[in-house]
Amino acid sequence: MPDFVLIESSGPASGPAGARFLGDAATLARAGHLVRLVLVQEGVTAALPGAQPALTEFLAYGAELWVDRYALAQRGLEADRLPARARLVGMDEVADELLAPGTRVVWH
């Protein structure tokens, strides 16, 4: 079970706040926390190649990246464009994580 579940719902096109949020996620992972980043809604676009450089740093620390399967499909994006370590998930899996005892959730 992760120490933190961070949920990003805004994509890179919405401004620099998403990059700062991913930077915070990387900082938590670098500090040794188990961090799972869940990309939902427009946030799934952050997983596209080159869209969010902070994502590379985040993954370098061994953190987990989950991408909402439904949101990806709704935007006509293909899963093969995601980083190799990205995991496609449904909202049922995300809900299980949010409701797990001891999980700290931050939604952006």
Side-chain angles (χ1 to χ4, degrees), residues 1 17 21 25 29 45 47 50 56 58-59 65-66 83 85 105:
M1 176 170 60
F21 188 71
T45 61
T56 302
F58 172 77
L59 291 171
L65 176 63
W66 284 14
R85 293 188 35 221
V105 179

Side-chain angles (χ1 to χ4, degrees), residues 1-2 4 11 21 40 42 47-48 50 58 70 73 77 82 86 94 97 100-101 107:
M1 176 170 60
F4 291 92
F21 188 71
V40 299
E42 288 300 316
L48 297 175
F58 172 77
Y70 178 80
L77 302 172
L82 301 178
V94 175
E97 289 298 313
W107 195 303

Side-chain angles (χ1 to χ4, degrees), residues 8-75:
E8 175 59 68
S9 60
S10 299
S14 66
R20 286 192 300 270
F21 188 71
L22 289 177
D24 291 344
T27 297
L28 287 169
R30 182 176 55 241
H33 294 282
L34 298 173
V35 181
R36 180 170 294 142
L37 177 65
V38 182
L39 301 178
V40 299
Q41 299 171 318
E42 288 300 316
V44 299
T45 61
L48 297 175
Q52 199 61 274
L55 190 60
T56 302
E57 178 187 3
F58 172 77
L59 291 171
Y61 294 115
E64 294 182 30
L65 176 63
W66 284 14
V67 179
D68 177 30
R69 179 182 299 110
Y70 178 80
L72 196 69
Q74 287 297 308
R75 285 150 185 82

Side-chain angles (χ1 to χ4, degrees), residues 77-94:
L77 302 172
E78 300 293 329
D80 63 357
R81 296 184 62 201
L82 301 178
R85 293 188 35 221
R87 177 177 167 201
L88 287 179
V89 296
M91 290 310 289
D92 56 333
E93 294 169 277
V94 175

